[in-house]
Amino acid sequence: MPPAPRAARRRTALLGSLSCAALLLVQPAAATGGDCLAPTANWTGSVVSGAHTSISARWTVPRADCAASPDGLTDQWIGFGSGDSWQDPLNQTGTSAACEDGVASYWAWWEQFPAAPVNYPDPVRAGDVMQSSITAPKNSQNYTMTLRDVTRNWTQTVYVTGPATGTQVEAVTELHTPSALTTTITYDRLLIDSRPLGAFPNAEILPGQLGGVCVDTGLDGASTLVTAPQKASTTRTSEERIRPGHLSR
């Protein structure tokens, strides 16, 4: 299968950065709608620590703005684990929107970071509705990662084995410099262990350097996480922590 544009460069950069660090703002998730945080590093989204058995979410593939960012890149994904080391790999599946020399491209993939990613051969376009889930029995080393393009009616499921990652789950828009997007990304039906984000008082909100983030926990009993890829403010309002392996470039 031919490699997706820029994908190898993005992932290679991450693979080489385990000894480096990205500073990420951490805030507890609020239970009310419309709570927004200012941006700081290149993950924007939410992380919920602790031992979990599943995470699932739905999003619409955003349209890359190649006029604003002729060589931009942004990823949308859910994850299971931290990726700090092979003892706690980060199982991820999601989509990417990129611009290369002003031409937009989109693709879907899975990854068990710090291993290399695998791109799916199925077509992805802006506006496609994606449904994704990652599950693992408690204390299990077996993970099931499913990504479905609801619009184009294809589904990919991957079974991977690795150390039991009972550390955290994530729903993230991964921003790169420059970002390929100028619009918000919404993750709805965001469920962790079949419960909404607002049910987890330890949930952390990570505003990216190129975007803020808002959380609405009141939509039909499930959570909606909204990430805004571009936002003027860069104020840091809480303590920062190190998260290896995911650097802004």
Side-chain angles (χ1 to χ4, degrees), residues 8 24 28 39 64 69 99 113 120 132 134 139 199 216 223 229 247:
L24 295 173
S69 301
C99 297
F113 184 86
Y120 289 127
S132 185
I134 303 176
N139 298 323
D216 180 358
S223 299
L247 289 177

Side-chain angles (χ1 to χ4, degrees), residues 56-227:
S56 61
R58 188 180 71 169
W59 67 88
T60 299
V61 177
R63 184 171 300 280
D65 188 346
C66 296
S69 301
D71 291 291
L73 174 64
T74 308
D75 312 307
Q76 311 83 47
W77 51 268
I78 61 171
F80 203 125
S82 73
D84 289 345
S85 71
W86 272 119
Q87 300 307 310
D88 186 18
L90 172 53
N91 303 285
Q92 303 168 272
T93 186
T95 56
S96 295
C99 297
E100 189 162 17
D101 297 328
V103 178
S105 60
Y106 308 90
W107 64 94
W109 48 270
W110 71 271
E111 181 176 6
Q112 188 177 54
F113 184 86
V118 177
N119 297 322
Y120 289 127
D122 308 270
V124 176
R125 299 291 183 269
D128 286 4
V129 175
M130 311 299 298
Q131 179 69 43
S132 185
S133 67
I134 303 176
T135 62
K138 188 175 181 179
N139 298 323
S140 171
Q141 294 183 327
N142 301 312
Y143 303 90
T144 302
M145 296 192 284
T146 299
L147 186 64
R148 180 187 177 208
D149 190 322
V150 178
T151 303
R152 301 187 184 278
N153 195 32
W154 60 257
T155 301
Q156 291 280 4
T157 300
V158 173
Y159 304 94
V160 296
T161 298
T165 57
T167 54
Q168 63 187 46
V169 291
E170 309 95 351
V172 168
T173 299
E174 189 170 335
L175 303 160
H176 300 265
T177 306
S179 171
L181 308 180
T182 54
T183 57
T184 60
I185 302 174
T186 299
Y187 299 85
D188 61 10
R189 303 182 187 179
L190 174 54
L191 299 173
I192 298 162
D193 303 335
S194 300
R195 300 163 63 198
L197 184 64
F200 296 88
N202 66 324
E204 300 165 342
I205 305 303
L206 308 175
Q209 183 178 23
L210 305 179
V213 63
C214 302
V215 178
D216 180 358
T217 58
L219 181 66
D220 298 329
S223 299
T224 298
L225 179 69
V226 181
T227 64

Side-chain angles (χ1 to χ4, degrees), residues 22-26 36-46 74 171-177 179 205-214 225-236 240 246 248:
L23 294 177
L24 295 173
L25 187 74
V26 176
C36 299
L37 298 174
T40 180
N42 75 320
W43 278 19
T44 177
S46 184
T74 308
V172 168
T173 299
E174 189 170 335
L175 303 160
H176 300 265
T177 306
S179 171
I205 305 303
L206 308 175
Q209 183 178 23
L210 305 179
V213 63
C214 302
L225 179 69
V226 181
T227 64
Q230 291 194 355
K231 193 174 182 179
S233 174
T234 57
T235 304
R236 295 178 179 179
E240 295 172 319
H246 293 79
S248 295

